[in-house]
Amino acid sequence: MNRKDQTWLAVLALGAIGVWTRDRSWLAAGDEALPVVAALPLFVWLGRPWRLRAEPGGAFLHAPSLVVAGLLFVAGSALDLCSLCAAAWVAGLWAWLRARGTPETLGRARRLLPLAFLAFPWVILDLQSLGWYFRLSGAWCSEHLFGLLGLQVSRAGVDLVVQGLPISVVAACSGLQVLQSLLIAGTFLVYVLLGDTRVYWWNVAALAVAAWVANTARIAAIGAAALTWGRDFATGPFHTLGGLGVFVAAFVVYAAIFDAERRWLARRARAA
């Protein structure tokens, strides 16, 4: 690693600090943002060994990626969107890797770029409106689930009445608290189990849907707990533990599905 490499890595480090500190409102939800810190170390660990070309070929930085990084940064700053600034940082990282990395390093790094993108608190900062739709869709699904079970249920927005018991899907049930953690954990599992297969990117894209399903199941479970053991139980420690339980259960389900895909692909390869 030469002086230019070290200088650009320092620029990227300062850029990452800038993305994290430009809008510090995520501090109000520090416990939600804490798991995001694990994404970049995972990116570095899973991508090892990081090998650079002995002699830089052509330009030190990949010019098209650098242009994309600049455009994304300008757009992110103008629109005040952490997600675009995070994407700009990833493009800047790729501009260096694309020019300096060996083919093997580039192959791993390309598939791990989603982890680098998830290393910033853009879900908490940019997707607050998404939390409302998570709540609304979770309430709608719970309404139909309880109806299928033969219970009397009515719904107005995110407020339900089940067997005469009012249940409100409040902001804490939006799922944003665990969404980015689930995406990071899911990307880690997809890479470990399916990183060298052709279905890798399809599974990464499906993680957002899987996170929604997990949160909807959590909302229904809390509602069922309220009906079974009372509202005080459902809104007490069970509410927090329920979120943790969803994370663990989703992680286990992710692993089972991805492992089943891996074994199925291996059987097909042997049969071919």
Side-chain angles (χ1 to χ4, degrees):
M1 183 179 293
N2 58 36
R3 174 123 354 155
K4 288 183 179 179
D5 295 321
Q6 295 170 353
T7 300
W8 188 247
L9 288 177
V11 170
L12 288 174
L14 291 173
I17 294 172
V19 175
W20 270 90
T21 57
R22 63 184 301 275
D23 181 352
R24 292 186 289 275
S25 58
W26 57 266
L27 288 170
D31 57 334
E32 300 170 18
L34 187 60
V36 181
V37 179
L40 202 54
L42 279 176
F43 172 84
V44 174
W45 179 62
L46 292 173
R48 72 192 193 286
W50 295 92
R51 294 194 174 97
L52 303 179
R53 294 171 181 159
E55 295 293 335
F60 170 69
L61 297 173
H62 186 239
S65 299
L66 201 59
V67 171
V68 170
L71 293 174
L72 287 171
F73 177 76
V74 171
S77 299
L79 299 174
D80 194 27
L81 289 175
C82 179
S83 53
L84 291 181
C85 292
W89 188 90
V90 172
L93 173 65
W94 182 247
W96 176 69
L97 289 172
R98 178 70 176 77
R100 293 287 284 120
T102 62
E104 295 79 10
T105 293
L106 287 179
R108 292 189 300 271
R110 183 181 291 109
R111 291 177 177 250
L112 288 169
L113 286 179
L115 273 179
F117 181 55
L118 290 167
F120 301 92
W122 51 268
V123 169
I124 298 170
L125 294 176
D126 294 352
L127 300 186
Q128 288 302 315
S129 60
L130 180 65
W132 163 256
Y133 294 105
F134 267 49
R135 293 165 59 197
L136 184 62
S137 58
W140 183 87
C141 290
S142 296
E143 174 193 12
H144 286 77
L145 175 61
F146 291 137
L148 287 174
L149 294 175
L151 303 177
Q152 292 183 343
V153 56
S154 61
R155 180 181 62 87
V158 296
D159 298 317
L160 299 97
V161 178
V162 186
Q163 295 291 97
L165 177 69
I167 300 174
S168 181
V169 184
V170 297
C173 294
S174 66
L176 292 184
Q177 297 91 333
V178 296
L179 175 58
Q180 197 157 354
S181 298
L182 286 171
L183 293 176
I184 292 169
T187 303
F188 167 78
L189 283 174
V190 175
Y191 182 82
V192 170
L193 295 174
L194 298 169
D196 58 350
T197 69
R198 63 182 181 275
V199 300
Y200 173 78
W201 289 108
W202 289 104
N203 281 276
V204 170
L207 289 174
V209 176
W212 173 83
V213 171
N215 189 65
T216 300
R218 172 176 176 261
I219 291 172
I222 291 174
L227 288 169
T228 306
W229 295 292
R231 291 185 62 184
D232 290 341
F233 175 84
T235 58
F238 177 81
H239 194 278
T240 301
L241 293 175
L244 179 61
V246 165
F247 181 86
V248 174
F251 192 87
V252 172
V253 172
Y254 284 168
I257 293 174
F258 300 149
D259 185 60
E261 287 186 68
R262 181 182 59 79
R263 287 186 281 106
W264 178 74
L265 288 171
R267 285 197 299 270
R268 285 196 60 183
R270 287 194 298 268

